Amino acid sequence: MDATSPWWAVPAFTLAGIVLTQLWTLLSDQARRRSERAARLDPDKIGFYREYVHAGRRLLDLDVWPSSRTGDPVPTEPMLEQVRRADVDIAFAAPARVTGTAREATTAALALTAVIDGLRESTTRPVGGTLSGEPAESLADARRRLGTALDAFVRAARRDVGVTAPYLPMSGPE
């Protein structure tokens, strides 16, 4: 500083430097802690996300009637319970954009189980286990909705954990 500078300029610049250094240190520490927390949580989140998709896919692939005449249908409730359990885990670990897509997929899973259970109650086992007509259409629609919802969930979950590679939907063309 030269002789024409006000007397307070040096202390003000010193104080500003101290404040900026402290602020930078605080922000850097917060970013580091946030990054460490996220790194610790990512393996758990990936596990929750994976389990959710597996549970949804098992339900999506469930036949209304087994193709064998003697086989009993696989109950929907245990599969739906797996979806619900994974949905709760996601609610604790995931950001809102992921949780929202999980909620939509869980709603679609509930709808699909309602269709499957309704068809089991209202139809008889067709020869070969294959449905046709309106029952087949309602089942296909419910499966399509769940498949689309699961794909939306996978996209959001991949973004959340930093996967940037292109995604090929599991449910086929949308």
Side-chain angles (χ1 to χ4, degrees):
M1 295 273 139
D2 62 16
T4 61
S5 297
W7 64 269
W8 51 266
V10 172
F13 283 119
T14 303
L15 182 60
I18 291 170
V19 167
L20 287 174
T21 301
Q22 290 298 317
L23 183 61
W24 178 259
T25 303
L26 175 68
L27 292 174
S28 295
D29 285 347
Q30 285 178 344
R32 182 184 47 77
R33 282 193 300 272
R34 210 172 16 254
S35 176
E36 288 172 356
R37 249 191 328 267
R40 281 193 310 270
L41 191 55
D42 273 353
D44 289 340
K45 280 201 289 191
I46 290 170
F48 297 150
Y49 295 169
R50 184 178 295 127
E51 180 53 35
Y52 187 76
V53 173
H54 282 302
R57 294 296 302 180
R58 281 190 296 272
L59 187 56
L60 193 59
D61 296 335
L62 181 63
D63 290 325
V64 174
W65 298 107
S67 56
S68 165
R69 288 276 250 164
T70 58
D72 289 331
V74 175
T76 58
E77 188 55 38
M79 291 184 180
L80 187 57
E81 185 56 32
Q82 289 175 338
V83 170
R84 287 179 176 141
R85 209 175 14 255
D87 187 39
V88 169
D89 290 336
I90 289 166
F92 279 99
R97 68 182 176 275
V98 177
T99 303
T101 60
R103 287 299 171 316
E104 290 173 16
T106 299
T107 300
L110 287 164
L112 176 58
T113 57
V115 168
I116 291 172
D117 290 341
L119 289 173
R120 287 176 177 172
E121 290 175 10
S122 66
T123 63
T124 57
R125 183 189 310 246
V127 176
T130 305
L131 294 167
S132 61
E134 195 277 322
E137 290 173 18
S138 67
L139 179 63
D141 184 51
R143 284 185 171 148
R144 193 172 20 262
R145 281 183 282 162
L146 178 55
T148 300
L150 284 173
D151 282 333
F153 170 77
V154 170
R155 282 188 187 93
R158 285 168 51 100
R159 256 190 318 271
D160 182 43
V161 296
V163 176
T164 58
Y167 173 63
L168 180 62
M170 292 185 292
S171 64
E174 294 179 9

